[in-house]
Amino acid sequence: QLQLAESGGGLVQPGGSLRLSCAASGFRLNYYAIGWFRQAPGKEREGVSCISSSGGNTNYAGSVKGRFTISRDNAKNTVYLQMNSLKPEDTAVYYCAAVYSGGYYCSWDSRAYDYWGQGTQVTVSS
């Protein structure tokens, strides 16, 4: 069974940091691009970041660029999202998603992805 599982969310004060993990089971992530998405209450799901299967191409939404860093460790079958300088507007459920793709493919359009995790809650509040 192909599954993705997010972890690492929680409650953090503004300016704090969290590291989210996206672990795959049932398949290898080596040939998959990974996207991170988030959805706040009452708002549409938005793309946050993506990383190509090779790791050589990454994209970030303007709202998180310079604060978030995406990376992957194919040996551990895991993708990470390091989130620094967190703001209240970062509060959302964060999802990871995977799509089989070439080595340089990277998209933060949710329609491009085939497999999704269940999400992890990130709350930034004082």
Side-chain angles (χ1 to χ4, degrees), residues 21 37 50 61 72 78 86 105:
S21 297
F37 300 83
C50 65
R72 66 189 302 149
T78 301
L86 284 163
Y105 181 83

Side-chain angles (χ1 to χ4, degrees), residues 1-25:
Q1 295 181 357
L2 281 65
Q3 293 184 327
L4 297 172
E6 303 93 339
S7 62
L11 176 64
V12 64
Q13 293 184 348
S17 298
L18 286 173
R19 186 194 189 200
L20 304 184
S21 297
C22 176
S25 61

Side-chain angles (χ1 to χ4, degrees), residues 13-16 63 67 84-91 123-125:
Q13 293 184 348
S63 59
R67 299 187 297 119
N84 298 325
S85 302
L86 284 163
K87 304 175 181 179
E89 49 263 48
D90 294 319
T91 296
T123 302
V124 185
S125 176

Side-chain angles (χ1 to χ4, degrees), residues 3-8 19-25 27-37 49-55 57-60 69-82 95-99 106 113 120:
Q3 293 184 327
L4 297 172
E6 303 93 339
S7 62
R19 186 194 189 200
L20 304 184
S21 297
C22 176
S25 61
F27 69 107
R28 299 292 300 178
L29 286 180
N30 302 57
Y31 303 125
Y32 289 79
I34 301 295
W36 283 99
F37 300 83
S49 183
C50 65
I51 186 168
S52 63
S53 61
S54 70
N57 188 29
T58 59
N59 286 326
Y60 298 91
T69 302
I70 191 170
S71 62
R72 66 189 302 149
D73 187 340
N74 287 340
K76 296 181 178 179
N77 221 27
T78 301
V79 173
Y80 304 97
L81 184 68
Q82 179 67 45
Y95 301 88
C96 67
V99 59
C106 185
Y113 293 88
T120 185

